[in-house]
Amino acid sequence: MAQPPKSVKPLIWMGSSKKDLIALPAAVGDVFGYALFLAQTGRRHEHTKVLSGFGDASVLEVIESGAGSTYRAVYTVRFETAVFVLHVFQKKSKSGAATPKPDMDLIHERLKRAGELVKQQELEKRRQERP
């Protein structure tokens, strides 16, 4: 039996992640789009795994192969208000399955910025609630 639909969290694109997703091969973009929709409803795509190095299981990556390459979409469900898409890229490193350091640095930077945005939104909401 199908599960009832859950509420859908907004999707917030950090940096160039949306532009990067649009530039991917169509089949890969379709998989990532569906995976992000599942994340918005509190579910997880079968190609999703926890990205290590962030202290908890709230930063995830979807891995998909297509057109002879491997692609990744990294997002976070750390915040209650939205799903933040942190980075979308073609993996070019020859260092096995590890995410290359420049990409990890960018993900860390965008995650920090997402946290700052959430704090800013919370402050603005509190200001508006005051009489």
Side-chain angles (χ1 to χ4, degrees), residues 8-19:
V8 179
K9 287 184 179 183
L11 202 59
I12 298 177
W13 302 89
M14 301 300 292
S16 63
S17 58
K18 186 172 185 177
K19 179 184 72 143

Side-chain angles (χ1 to χ4, degrees), residues 53-114:
F54 293 89
D56 60 19
S58 67
V59 178
L60 303 142
E61 70 176 336
V62 185
I63 303 170
E64 184 66 16
S65 295
S69 295
T70 301
Y71 302 89
R72 296 182 181 194
V74 179
Y75 64 93
T76 186
V77 294
R78 181 172 291 177
F79 310 105
E80 286 291 318
T81 56
V83 174
F84 287 82
V85 184
L86 302 172
H87 191 30
V88 177
F89 62 103
Q90 177 181 357
K91 185 174 179 303
K92 297 177 182 176
S93 171
K94 303 296 182 199
S95 61
T99 303
K101 183 174 177 359
D103 291 302
M104 288 297 286
D105 291 345
L106 183 59
I107 293 164
H108 277 281
E109 176 184 317
R110 289 181 177 172
L111 180 62
K112 180 180 175 185
R113 178 69 181 125

Side-chain angles (χ1 to χ4, degrees), residues 25-38:
V28 175
D30 288 347
V31 170
F32 287 171
Y34 182 58
L36 292 169
F37 169 74
L38 291 175

Side-chain angles (χ1 to χ4, degrees), residues 112-128:
K112 180 180 175 185
R113 178 69 181 125
E116 292 168 354
L117 287 173
V118 168
K119 285 181 184 177
Q120 183 179 17
Q121 289 172 346
E122 289 170 354
L123 287 172
E124 288 175 15
K125 184 178 178 182
R126 281 190 213 127
R127 281 190 209 125
Q128 291 174 356

